[in-house]
Amino acid sequence: MKPNIFSYLDYRQFLNDIYAWLKKERGRFSYRAFARMADSSSPNFLQFIRERKLHLSEESLNSLSDALDFSSKEKRYFEYLVAFDHAKIHTEKDKFFRHIVSEREFGPFKHLQDTQYKYLTHWYMPVVRELVTCSVYPGNPEWIAEKIIPAISASKVRKGIKLLESLDLIRYDEKKREWIQTDTIIRTESEVLSVAVINYYKSILSLGRDAVERFNPSERDIRGVTIGISDETYMKLKKRMEIFWQEVMDMANEPQDIERVY
């Protein structure tokens, strides 16, 4: 079956797969023939693209779109894929990813991609997950909204609960009449993950900055230190931090009543 460009996030993988399909369909089809389709004089065009030694030019993009008989929508999606791959700064990557999601086909697959992205880029989604499954949750989204600092609307909480359920990160236990967490892990393509995680960290850093004024010292622990150390000591400190964070996760997994979400 001919590869459908709307099922791809990586244009380089798409070009590799479309070449394999053309090779199967046409038998004697070669790398040189594919290069001609892209209006390139290099017989190693596809190999260079695949190995990220070459970026697809606008001329090659247009030539390939014509050769593959793309519709205007397919060509536009192809352009977004290329722009997403070539973008050097996060804001550009984020912009083109949003275009990609809006154009993408295959309803359930597109929905999953979009919901995963929303979960990873909204700082309050993990907070809602913790609060909706805590033992004292009264079943009222307004209760969660009132607990969160900085405040979010009850509407966002409701949407968040639906999103968490659609991703199988929580499920409703009819017998116990309460929400419980699942062990499901968010799985998404690395390109999406890299954009989403940066969005998440930026929002968390912003919350940390505002926490200096939002909370009194007894409710926060924010420190800054400047030290002169060797590269070896830096690696030792990094290792110690990794051990500490594992200890944090182990402590959080101990049976206990959740009183706050940090």
Side-chain angles (χ1 to χ4, degrees):
M1 182 182 295
K2 181 180 180 181
N4 187 322
I5 192 168
F6 291 108
S7 65
Y8 288 82
L9 268 178
D10 185 343
Y11 84 84
R12 298 173 194 271
Q13 185 61 51
F14 169 74
L15 293 181
N16 185 67
D17 291 352
I18 201 73
Y19 168 79
W21 179 79
L22 288 168
K23 179 79 172 172
K24 184 178 179 180
E25 290 291 306
R26 302 181 185 181
R28 296 176 63 86
F29 190 74
S30 66
Y31 285 124
R32 192 178 295 275
F34 190 82
R36 285 197 295 269
M37 286 176 58
D39 197 25
S40 171
S41 58
S42 170
N44 296 320
F45 168 79
L46 181 58
Q47 294 97 311
F48 288 155
I49 289 286
R50 193 164 48 201
E51 295 168 6
R52 304 192 70 86
K53 294 178 180 177
L54 181 69
H55 287 334
L56 193 69
S57 67
E58 185 177 351
E59 292 76 14
S60 291
L61 187 154
N62 290 331
S63 296
L64 282 169
S65 297
D66 291 339
L68 295 172
D69 198 26
F70 276 168
S71 66
S72 59
K73 186 174 182 180
E74 287 173 319
K75 182 181 179 183
R76 184 169 62 247
Y77 187 84
F78 189 25
E79 290 171 345
Y80 288 149
L81 289 186
V82 173
F84 177 66
D85 181 274
H86 294 179
K88 288 183 168 48
I89 59 175
H90 171 69
T91 51
E92 288 292 299
K93 274 198 173 291
D94 188 54
K95 179 181 76 173
F96 289 117
F97 177 75
R98 291 175 187 274
H99 284 314
I100 287 168
V101 169
S102 68
E103 293 282 345
R104 209 160 193 184
E105 294 181 350
F106 305 112
F109 185 72
K110 174 185 174 181
H111 174 70
L112 181 64
Q113 203 77 60
D114 193 26
T115 51
Q116 288 178 338
Y117 184 74
K118 286 178 180 176
Y119 173 79
L120 290 167
T121 55
H122 287 74
W123 65 266
Y124 55 81
M125 289 306 306
V127 181
V128 171
R129 183 174 185 243
E130 294 293 333
L131 289 175
V132 78
T133 56
C134 73
S135 59
V136 295
Y137 174 57
N140 183 359
E142 283 76 12
W143 180 86
I144 293 178
E146 291 170 0
K147 296 288 183 185
I148 295 177
I149 303 173
I152 65 170
S153 66
S155 174
K156 284 185 177 180
V157 174
R158 290 191 191 91
K159 290 177 181 177
I161 294 171
K162 287 182 179 179
L163 190 148
L164 290 165
E165 185 180 19
S166 71
L167 289 173
D168 194 32
L169 290 170
I170 60 172
R171 65 180 176 83
Y172 192 72
D173 188 317
E174 294 288 351
K175 192 172 289 187
K176 295 181 178 179
R177 300 177 70 104
E178 63 182 26
W179 290 99
I180 60 174
Q181 293 187 13
T182 68
D183 293 327
T184 302
I185 297 172
I186 287 285
R187 299 188 184 279
T188 189
E189 294 172 75
S190 59
E191 295 93 341
V192 179
L193 188 62
S194 64
V195 176
V197 166
I198 290 174
N199 280 347
Y200 179 74
Y201 283 151
K202 287 176 71 176
S203 64
I204 290 298
L205 288 169
S206 178
L207 289 174
R209 179 197 64 204
D210 295 342
V212 176
E213 296 179 342
R214 181 175 285 131
F215 301 103
N216 64 53
S218 66
E219 297 178 297
R220 57 172 167 80
D221 191 336
I222 300 174
R223 310 177 189 212
V225 59
T226 302
I227 52 177
I229 55 176
S230 67
D231 289 344
E232 182 182 358
T233 300
Y234 168 76
M235 294 309 297
K236 287 180 181 178
L237 285 172
K238 193 164 189 251
K239 184 64 177 175
R240 290 287 296 274
M241 290 178 187
E242 290 171 1
I243 293 171
F244 169 71
W245 283 114
Q246 186 56 56
E247 291 174 350
V248 170
M249 298 307 295
D250 290 342
M251 290 173 69
N253 286 328
E254 293 173 0
Q256 59 192 295
D257 290 329
I258 295 175
E259 295 175 303
R260 284 195 181 193
V261 179
Y262 288 92

